[in-house]
Amino acid sequence: MSQIENVHTKARELLESQAVDCVIGFGKGTTGGSRPLFVYGPEGVEDLIFDETCAHNLAKYLLNRKGKTTAVVLKACDARAVNLLLSEHQIERDKVYMIGVVCPGIKENGEPRDTCLRCGQRTPVSYDYLAGEPEEATVDAELQYKGVAEMEAMSMAERKAFWEAQFDRCIRCYACRQVCPGCYCDECFVERLDPLWVGIRIAPSENEMWNAMRAFHLTGRCIGCDQCERVCPVGIPLSLLNRKLEKEVYETFGYEAGMDPEAAPPFATYKKEESLGFGE
Amino acid sequence: MSKFISRKDLLSWLEGVSSEKDLVAPVQVEGRLLFRRTGDVSEIVLDYTNTDLSPREFFFPATETLFTVDKSNGRAELEPTRVERDTVIFGMRPCDAKGMAALALPYLQDPADSLFAQHRERTAIVGLSCLKACPECFCTSMGTGPDDAANVDILLTEAADGYMVEVMTDKGKALMPDSLLSEAKADKPAPAQVPLVPAEGISARLREAFDDIYWSRLADRCLHCNVCSYVCPTCYCFDIRDYSEKGGAVRVRTWESCQSPGFTKAAGGHNPRADKGTRLRQRFAHKLLYYPEEFGTSHCTGCGRCVKACPVNIDIREIIGDVQKLGKAN
């Protein structure tokens, strides 16, 4: 059976047995691509599709379904997002059924996403059921930190000018945050009034503060799905910022977010022997 | 007979405009097409379907200081912001021009919003007819059309080696005097064929479908990312805050969106649209029911930007079709 037929069979089985209330997968969209699809009964499972237009990270939706049983169709990056949420105790493992799919690499307007070219995974690291045949990806090592090395080669003044020019066109719609599986605070710092962290102006200084603080909050937590960059209506290269920080975390702690739900996240861990840098 | 201006003459006219006023035109910015102030006519993009963001920021800026309070000499003096310069927006599509007119209805209602009124007074719109439709647009179903000249000061339509010119207002006449124009030798090219959506009677159907589970199901996939309302030419909601600054204070207004969870949260914590479904319904009901009831015209102009920009394919064209069926089912 094909991968999608396996997804249909598994989804039907889970809904019929009432093991889950809902299956979140991909369905056909209106503009030639796909879109997230919520299936609540076995009669809807045939509408589930999976192809190279299925760019969305469906793990985000699990945050809206706390306490309810949900099966979710997961590509490799999306499965890492589920692991991130598990490691941060945002969702319960026994409420989530992970239907893994082997990802062909996602295309946008017929071209492979940069994200997918540098992704070392076609098969999810975690799943309850794998619908396809496991596959290794061929990764272009040069692409892994594409743009990061160039950014590191810039002087501080050049870097500042580069990011100022990018953040200048930010309209603070917060789509990057809304789509991000790692952004789930009840009250985001940017909307907090007391204390006021960032003013409401959509202007260079505030835009820079917003984008920089969001990047720091994601450090060691970004799973590299690049949904933020995909949805940004003004094309800010947010992935570049996140990959720079992930590179730092990897080089310092050897940690990659979402690879292992049991691994302790570096910024949520304290070891007694760690130096606090207070000259002790 | 129509008037005509050659491409070369148009560009030198724009050059002249930019030396006297703020010229705003479509410009490529890092792979996006955006309306930007420009003094360099050579960077203006002439061949495009539409810009990624609407031109509303030149009437309703993303951030604007409404007034400053100066307390430096012992008294509090309130100084309202004034719009000091004239602006000419070049290349606005008829859907967006209708959008700017749609913004004016609430903003110029008594008491008029003084800043919006000044922007509108000091801005001239040079429209550009659409000869090619965007894949997502549906303007003819929303009370406008690809060559609608109703909301611009001058309408240009691209023709061989130049543009057909229709000067619609006195403001337009002052901006582009007759002496620059010649008699057109050919007929105006046919406008774009724009796909239709079944919008007839949609307001009534929306009211009937108000409590349908449809909205909650639709909201399942909505991320409440606000993109739809930020790319929209007609969304006009805002937030206001006061800030202390050295020697006084300022009152600042910025864009806001009905899709953000805190938007309707009131003092005391009550939130009349606390769930995602009612917030999503609000957006479509405002476009197609509340605003039309109040102002007699659609609040959607069919530009299609929200369809193109939505990360999860929430498509107003599809919703219009769905609601027509829901209304009838009830």
Side-chain angles (χ1 to χ4, degrees):
Chain A
M1 281 210 292
S2 70
Q3 173 156 267
I4 193 61
E5 286 167 336
N6 288 334
V7 171
H8 292 168
T9 308
K10 180 53 75 179
R12 187 178 293 110
E13 176 194 315
L14 291 167
L15 288 163
E16 273 173 356
S17 66
Q18 296 180 353
V20 301
D21 303 329
C22 174
V23 177
I24 308 174
F26 300 95
K28 204 169 170 308
T30 59
T31 53
S34 61
R35 66 187 186 193
L37 178 68
F38 288 62
V39 181
Y40 291 97
E43 65 287 352
V45 301
E46 298 289 331
D47 293 334
L48 290 166
I49 64 162
F50 185 68
D51 60 31
E52 60 192 22
T53 70
C54 296
H56 318 81
N57 186 340
L58 305 178
K60 176 80 184 191
Y61 294 118
L62 295 173
L63 294 162
N64 298 332
R65 292 190 50 84
K66 288 186 182 183
K68 298 173 187 162
T69 51
T70 312
V72 57
V73 176
L74 301 163
K75 305 185 293 294
C77 48
D78 314 338
R80 283 180 63 183
V82 172
N83 284 343
L84 173 83
L85 296 175
L86 288 170
S87 71
E88 296 181 349
H89 308 287
Q90 293 305 307
I91 52 175
E92 293 169 87
R93 185 65 187 89
D94 61 358
K95 294 274 196 288
V96 177
Y97 190 93
M98 300 170 75
I99 303 176
V101 284
V102 177
C103 176
I106 300 304
K107 291 186 175 168
E108 264 173 339
N109 306 320
E111 293 296 316
R113 289 186 77 199
D114 276 356
T115 317
C116 302
L117 290 174
R118 59 178 172 253
C119 170
Q121 299 170 302
R122 289 287 175 260
T123 308
V125 281
S126 309
Y127 49 80
D128 293 306
Y129 169 76
L130 185 65
E133 288 299 317
E135 237 178 74
E136 286 297 311
T138 43
V139 191
D140 191 338
E142 272 185 29
L143 282 173
Q144 183 69 34
Y145 292 116
K146 185 184 162 196
V148 174
E150 287 88 328
M151 184 173 77
E152 287 169 341
M154 290 179 190
S155 69
M156 279 301 169
E158 286 167 339
R159 254 192 246 192
K160 190 166 187 298
F162 173 79
W163 285 109
E164 277 173 0
Q166 302 301 325
F167 297 150
D168 181 58
R169 58 183 191 281
C170 175
I171 52 175
R172 287 182 68 181
C173 63
Y174 307 139
C176 48
R177 174 189 76 189
Q178 292 304 105
V179 77
C180 177
C183 271
Y184 53 72
C185 289
D186 285 340
E187 188 178 34
C188 178
F189 74 90
V190 81
E191 276 153 358
R192 205 174 161 89
L193 297 177
D194 187 14
L196 180 75
W197 296 104
V198 190
I200 62 165
R201 285 189 181 94
I202 302 168
S205 160
E206 285 84 351
N207 294 357
E208 198 177 317
M209 186 73 165
W210 155 243
N211 282 283
M213 277 182 68
R214 198 183 91 87
F216 279 121
H217 280 184
L218 279 175
T219 307
R221 307 177 56 243
C222 172
I223 51 90
C225 63
D226 289 351
Q227 294 292 320
C228 49
E229 192 168 297
R230 182 177 80 83
V231 305
C232 178
V234 292
I236 299 172
L238 293 162
S239 147
L240 184 58
L241 202 57
N242 294 333
R243 279 184 298 131
K244 163 68 178 160
L245 291 166
E246 288 322 296
K247 181 172 173 250
E248 295 290 331
V249 170
Y250 187 70
E251 287 171 359
T252 312
F253 302 104
Y255 178 87
E256 287 179 283
M259 296 301 277
D260 174 4
E262 305 296 322
F267 294 124
T269 311
Y270 169 64
K271 290 180 186 159
K272 260 187 163 174
E273 62 273 23
E274 275 180 77
S275 160
L276 293 174
F278 299 149
E280 74 268 55
Chain B
M1 198 65 192
S2 292
K3 300 286 182 187
F4 179 84
I5 190 168
S6 71
R7 189 180 309 262
K8 194 168 144 277
D9 287 349
L10 179 78
L11 291 173
S12 49
W13 172 75
L14 284 170
E15 193 89 55
V17 167
S18 75
S19 66
E20 288 168 21
K21 303 167 194 282
D22 280 354
L23 176 65
V24 169
V27 165
Q28 280 290 343
V29 184
E30 308 253 356
R32 304 283 154 147
L33 191 68
L34 303 172
F35 280 105
R36 283 288 182 262
R37 288 194 175 81
T38 177
D40 177 6
V41 170
S42 70
E43 71 169 4
I44 298 176
V45 177
L46 294 168
D47 182 20
Y48 62 96
T49 48
N50 211 350
T51 51
D52 289 289
L53 298 183
S54 88
R56 82 171 193 211
E57 64 184 287
F58 299 96
F59 295 87
F60 167 39
T63 293
E64 194 162 42
T65 298
L66 300 182
F67 57 78
T68 53
V69 179
D70 183 1
K71 284 162 67 179
S72 55
N73 50 15
R75 306 186 310 142
E77 282 178 45
L78 191 145
E79 187 57 41
T81 304
R82 285 181 221 291
V83 178
E84 304 287 356
R85 287 185 54 85
D86 289 331
T87 298
V88 173
I89 305 184
F90 170 79
M92 195 187 292
R93 295 299 185 184
C95 56
D96 287 337
K98 158 95 172 154
M100 300 310 104
L103 286 177
L105 293 174
Y107 272 123
L108 297 184
Q109 215 178 15
D110 189 40
D113 184 282
S114 139
L115 267 175
F116 182 88
Q118 291 179 65
H119 285 301
R120 191 149 163 93
E121 178 64 34
R122 303 201 70 152
T123 304
I125 299 175
V126 182
L128 194 55
S129 306
C130 299
L131 301 182
K132 201 167 80 185
C134 303
E136 301 86 5
C137 69
F138 53 101
C139 60
T140 50
S141 305
M142 291 290 134
T144 177
D147 59 349
D148 182 4
N151 304 298
V152 298
D153 296 298
I154 300 171
L155 184 71
L156 304 178
T157 304
E158 194 179 3
D161 304 320
Y163 294 84
M164 302 286 192
V165 182
E166 292 160 79
V167 178
M168 304 303 296
T169 63
D170 290 342
K171 214 191 249 180
K173 202 171 276 179
L175 199 59
M176 191 180 267
D178 260 354
S179 56
L180 287 174
L181 308 174
S182 60
E183 292 300 320
K185 293 190 185 72
D187 288 337
K188 198 169 128 177
Q193 285 290 323
V194 181
L196 297 172
V197 297
E200 193 65 38
I202 189 65
S203 296
R205 297 283 95 73
L206 261 164
R207 198 171 276 299
E208 287 157 15
F210 195 77
D211 291 319
D212 203 283
I213 193 175
Y214 178 77
W215 303 107
S216 159
R217 288 286 188 252
L218 186 66
D220 272 347
R221 72 172 188 276
C222 178
L223 296 161
H224 292 275
C225 72
N226 302 345
V227 161
C228 50
S229 46
Y230 279 49
V231 299
C232 178
T234 66
C235 275
Y236 57 84
C237 287
F238 55 79
D239 193 4
I240 284 187
R241 305 268 172 87
D242 293 349
Y243 293 110
S244 306
E245 300 209 330
K246 39 181 184 275
V250 291
R251 176 162 295 175
V252 175
R253 170 164 73 187
T254 66
W255 290 353
E256 238 295 31
S257 166
C258 59
Q259 297 308 296
S260 69
F263 184 70
T264 45
K265 199 167 169 187
H270 177 61
N271 192 344
R273 287 195 292 271
D275 67 282
K276 300 205 312 167
T278 55
R279 289 206 295 280
L280 199 56
R281 183 188 62 202
Q282 167 64 26
R283 179 171 155 76
F284 296 105
H286 192 202
K287 295 288 168 213
L288 303 166
L289 169 60
Y290 311 143
Y291 183 102
E293 272 189 347
E294 191 171 355
F295 297 107
T297 179
S298 170
H299 195 225
C300 173
T301 69
C303 75
R305 281 192 187 85
C306 57
V307 179
K308 188 177 173 207
C310 177
V312 293
N313 185 224
I314 289 176
D315 185 335
I316 188 171
R317 301 168 303 174
E318 183 187 27
I319 292 166
I320 290 170
D322 289 347
V323 169
Q324 291 284 16
K325 288 178 222 146
L326 288 177
K328 281 185 186 130
N330 286 343

